[in-house]
Amino acid sequence: LVFPNTSRMNRGGHTVKQIVETCRADGFTDLVVLQEHRGVPDGLVVSHMPHGPTAYFGLANVTMRHDIEGATNMSEAYPHLVIDNLTSKVGARVATILKHLFPVPKPDSKRVVSLVNRADLLSFRHHVYAKEKADVHLYEVGPRFDLRLYQIKLGTIDQEEVENEWVLR
């Protein structure tokens, strides 16, 4: 439940084309595909519906919620989004793609998602905070992972003959 207002489904025997057609028919705004190898997440694809763009990321250093010591309960409120150091043209494009996965939070939301870019590695961290008098305490709720962008396509994930906007070389 990292992304608010989402529906989770296992791919099963469905093709990507069938999933995208269902997303379009049901009015979904984005499709997020988490790829894994032997139970370890290793890729993330974010495809904006109905016409794109689609961003492809490699995943590294994945730590699930249940593996984080002292992880606290997660609020279901919409999170505030903190984006740091995505200042290049491609960085701004990635920030735009990712920020549209999160609805606008209420001002009193205590949930924070941070996307911090260091050396082209985008660190995803998920926290809640609590105010106690003059102090603010930050508690990690997870998951946490690092994203490395390797491609942005102008179409959706099911389209094969689309232009590459950016490719890691």
Side-chain angles (χ1 to χ4, degrees):
L1 297 174
V2 171
F3 304 111
N5 300 332
T6 58
S7 298
R8 180 187 173 277
M9 73 172 275
N10 289 330
R11 180 175 164 193
H14 301 289
T15 65
V16 171
K17 190 169 190 71
Q18 290 172 328
I19 294 170
V20 170
E21 287 172 2
T22 302
C23 288
R24 284 190 180 121
D26 292 345
F28 285 89
T29 58
D30 293 277
L31 172 64
V32 178
V33 178
L34 183 63
Q35 300 166 337
E36 55 92 16
H37 180 71
R38 296 186 179 175
V40 178
D42 63 356
L44 186 77
V45 180
V46 178
S47 187
H48 187 68
M49 296 291 140
H51 305 295
T54 300
Y56 295 81
F57 299 93
L59 281 178
N61 305 319
V62 177
T63 305
M64 302 305 284
R65 275 181 49 99
H66 59 271
D67 294 329
I68 296 174
E69 284 188 36
T72 186
N73 293 333
M74 180 179 66
S75 165
E76 290 189 22
Y78 298 162
H80 292 282
L81 197 56
V82 176
I83 298 173
D84 182 48
N85 202 25
L86 287 170
T87 54
S88 68
K89 185 177 176 183
V90 173
R93 180 69 160 153
V94 169
T96 300
I97 290 169
L98 293 177
K99 78 177 179 184
H100 284 97
L101 295 175
F102 298 92
V104 177
K106 292 183 179 177
D108 61 345
S109 175
K110 303 279 190 232
R111 187 173 161 200
V112 179
V113 168
S114 58
L115 298 164
V116 179
N117 181 33
R118 297 288 181 262
D120 293 332
L121 199 64
L122 190 61
S123 297
F124 179 99
R125 301 295 183 264
H126 189 195
H127 296 87
V128 294
Y129 69 90
K131 292 182 182 178
E132 294 177 15
K133 298 181 183 174
D135 296 331
V136 176
H137 299 281
L138 196 62
Y139 303 101
E140 187 169 14
V141 293
R144 68 173 171 245
F145 50 85
D146 296 328
L147 296 161
R148 182 172 303 275
L149 179 71
Y150 64 87
Q151 186 175 31
I152 299 176
K153 288 187 173 185
L154 292 179
T156 56
I157 190 172
D158 65 325
Q159 298 172 333
E160 296 174 10
E161 299 296 325
V162 294
E163 185 179 343
N164 285 326
E165 181 176 342
W166 183 86
V167 177
L168 177 66
R169 299 205 191 269

